[in-house]
Amino acid sequence: MKLALRCLPELLGHVPEPVPARASLPDWLRALPSMVVSETLGGVEVRGMKQCPPLVDALSLGVMFRLAADVEVADGTLSWDWDPPLDAAATETRSPVGAHVPEQANGAPFGLEPGQFIVKFTNFWTVEAPDGVSLLFTHPLNREDLPFRTLAGLVDCDRFRDGYVHFPALWTDPGFSGRLAAGTPVAQAFPIRREALELSVAAMTDAERARHRAVQEGLQSSPGLYRKEFRAGPVRPGGSAEKGGGR
């Protein structure tokens, strides 16, 4: 599947480009140990989160949209010194961050303090998807290290392909102070084909129960069974998947 991402010509090279999420993996993932000693289990060695393919694959899936410019955070205030080379007649905002007023979230169970604004990260890229495909934009998956949480939204980008999708977010770490660097992941997007969903809900047949039991027993006896036998692996350009993915 191909997505077309476009910015104004004068901004090319001045705002971080969206990238495949696999190219934006966090440093903490690389630093995680593969094996850890569990004092909870009496000192035995167990596999760490780094060896969980579903977690890693979620981090690697889709497209990552990134913060347009450095943003300084101090005492609950966000500021920046950024002057993008936009044409004087352009209607685009010059700010990497905007806001929604507190009243827009009235009644939503977001845990906001009275008078707290909702941050809105500015996106300078349009997105065009193939016919029948929408994009789900959400917080970068498993990125609990970020001091905000981007709200999820679904946009029909096959039709809304010439406008910007911006990213509202809840500021979740009031004690954060420092710099959010340009290029910080602010939203992860996943193309979803629009089609009717049907559910088949039933008890397992005898054959299905036997297969289920074989898998459960295999997971207990053979560490890494999912990765070795079931994981399709990340899909690379050209449509091929890496069996097992090497993790």
Side-chain angles (χ1 to χ4, degrees), residues 3 14 26 45 63-64 69 80 96 112 117 123 142 151 167 171 177 191 207 224 227 233 237 239 245:
L3 300 178
H14 293 276
E45 194 175 44
V63 182
M64 195 69 74
W80 52 89
L112 298 175
F117 284 76
N123 170 38
N142 299 324
L151 298 176
F167 312 124
W171 197 264
S177 179
R227 172 179 59 82

Side-chain angles (χ1 to χ4, degrees), residues 34-218:
S34 296
M35 302 296 293
V36 294
V37 174
S38 172
E39 299 299 334
T40 305
L41 298 177
V44 301
E45 194 175 44
V46 297
R47 290 176 295 157
M49 292 178 64
K50 193 173 188 175
Q51 293 203 49
C52 178
L55 182 144
V56 176
D57 287 348
L59 286 165
S60 306
L61 185 65
V63 182
M64 195 69 74
F65 289 80
R66 304 182 291 167
L67 185 63
D70 291 345
V71 174
E72 301 292 339
V73 184
D75 300 323
T77 299
L78 280 64
S79 61
W80 52 89
D81 181 11
W82 187 57
D83 186 21
L86 286 170
D87 185 276
T91 58
E92 282 77 8
T93 177
R94 270 73 171 170
S95 302
V97 181
H100 286 288
V101 297
E103 292 80 6
Q104 289 179 279
N106 280 353
F110 290 160
L112 298 175
E113 296 294 329
Q116 181 178 342
F117 284 76
I118 296 176
V119 173
K120 182 167 65 175
F121 294 110
T122 306
N123 170 38
F124 293 92
W125 298 86
T126 64
V127 184
E128 181 178 357
D131 287 345
V133 173
S134 300
L135 262 73
L136 174 64
F137 298 88
T138 190
H139 186 75
L141 298 184
N142 299 324
R143 292 300 305 269
E144 303 304 314
D145 54 311
L146 297 170
F148 56 84
R149 174 163 289 280
T150 304
L151 298 176
L154 185 70
V155 181
D156 300 335
C157 288
D158 56 338
R159 305 177 66 172
F160 185 77
R161 59 179 181 263
D162 297 312
Y164 297 122
V165 179
H166 303 300
F167 312 124
L170 309 177
W171 197 264
T172 55
D173 185 358
F176 179 86
S177 179
R179 173 177 294 179
L180 282 182
T184 297
V186 294
Q188 194 168 352
F190 311 99
I192 297 175
R193 191 167 297 281
R194 294 192 299 274
E195 55 187 5
L197 176 66
E198 297 183 12
L199 301 181
S200 173
V201 182
M204 295 180 188
T205 65
D206 290 343
E208 290 165 343
R209 183 170 184 168
R211 295 198 306 269
H212 160 71
R213 181 173 297 171
V215 169
Q216 292 301 108
E217 292 174 351

Side-chain angles (χ1 to χ4, degrees), residues 8-32:
L8 293 177
E10 58 266 32
L11 287 181
L12 190 62
H14 293 276
V15 292
E17 297 179 1
V19 295
R22 64 177 179 273
S24 189
L25 296 177
D27 292 338
W28 58 256
L29 177 67
R30 299 181 178 90
L32 287 178

